[in-house]
Amino acid sequence: MGDPGSPAAGPTQGGDLAADIDRAGEILARAQYVVVLTGAGVSKESGIPTFRGDGGLWTVNGEPPMNGFQLFLEDTAGWWRQRLDRRRADEADPASFARAVDEARPNPAHAALAELEHLGVVRHLITQNVDDLHRRAGQREITEIHGNRHWMRCLDCGARWPASEFPVDEGRLPPRCAQPGCEGVVKDDTVMFGEPIPAEALSRCDAESRRADCFLVVGTSAVVMPAAGFPLLAWQRGAPLVEVNPEPTPLTGYAEVSCRGAAGDVLPELAAAVRARRAAGA
Ligand code: OAD
């Protein structure tokens, strides 16, 4: 997308959280087609660290190589050997990121978003998270733009399998596609740096964002494209943005209202505000 232009008016800047949630509830209750973008912050209260910011995985350990996918393609078998070694090390380390994700449960933020979908307010949710927690909370209309760590995907035909149903034979690496007539290399479904996002996911995000008459952005630093561009695509078409994040982001200036709090605290209150307004016919 091109230059989104400048924000017309700043949001209410986090002075009074209760008033901001009330205003956000009013905007969401009025909308017919709310699309949501979530990031790592929505899962923080499930015990999964974010990437950036205080205590973030990459703040602590450094960023992974930006050419990860290129490195994968250069030596798929070697990559898989390292992957299996790392998986064994993660399983043995109670403090590993992988263990945190595997043991995580949906938190009240995930539940509130699923409730907003159930109410007919949220129509689609785009998540950058690979942890599967939205689905486990009952959300149905989801695009996982960065994949799902519990799935595997063929790079040639795009077929996907739950990882639990796709045993990897260490004697025959890399694993190959199980579809008849396809021998494509199989990798984790999680999108790596430098890897193209599957076209189907991209076009769904694009279509949903164009259709949105309100965009709710939760727990993302909004610095990774193309995900961070979808709320702006909707904003350019006149949809108000509502943001939930304890910190300001590059999208804050475009937001009608920015609720500066933890998603697990704010979203249940926001869902209650929407429910109350809908019940009152407001
Ligand atoms: P980041 O780690 O960049 O940002 C997390 C955001 O969550 C920050 O804006 C925090 O202020 C906010 N946050 C922290 N605690 C929160 C809470 N309790 N409630 C709500 N928000 C909170 O994570 P993402 O924006 O998701 O992609 O990162 C985007 C992508 O960067 C990831 O999907 C990953 C990485 O490249 C891939 O690996 C492909």
Side-chain angles (χ1 to χ4, degrees), residues 195-209:
E195 179 179 359
I197 291 171
E200 202 179 310
L202 269 187
S203 63
R204 179 89 198 263
C205 293
D206 187 77
E208 295 291 345
S209 303

Side-chain angles (χ1 to χ4, degrees), residues 105-130:
R105 299 279 173 272
N107 70 52
H110 299 102
L113 289 168
E115 185 192 349
L116 285 170
E117 183 181 68
H118 187 71
L119 288 172
V121 174
V122 165
R123 301 301 191 95
H124 196 75
L125 184 145
I126 300 167
T127 187
Q128 298 164 90
N129 300 344
V130 299

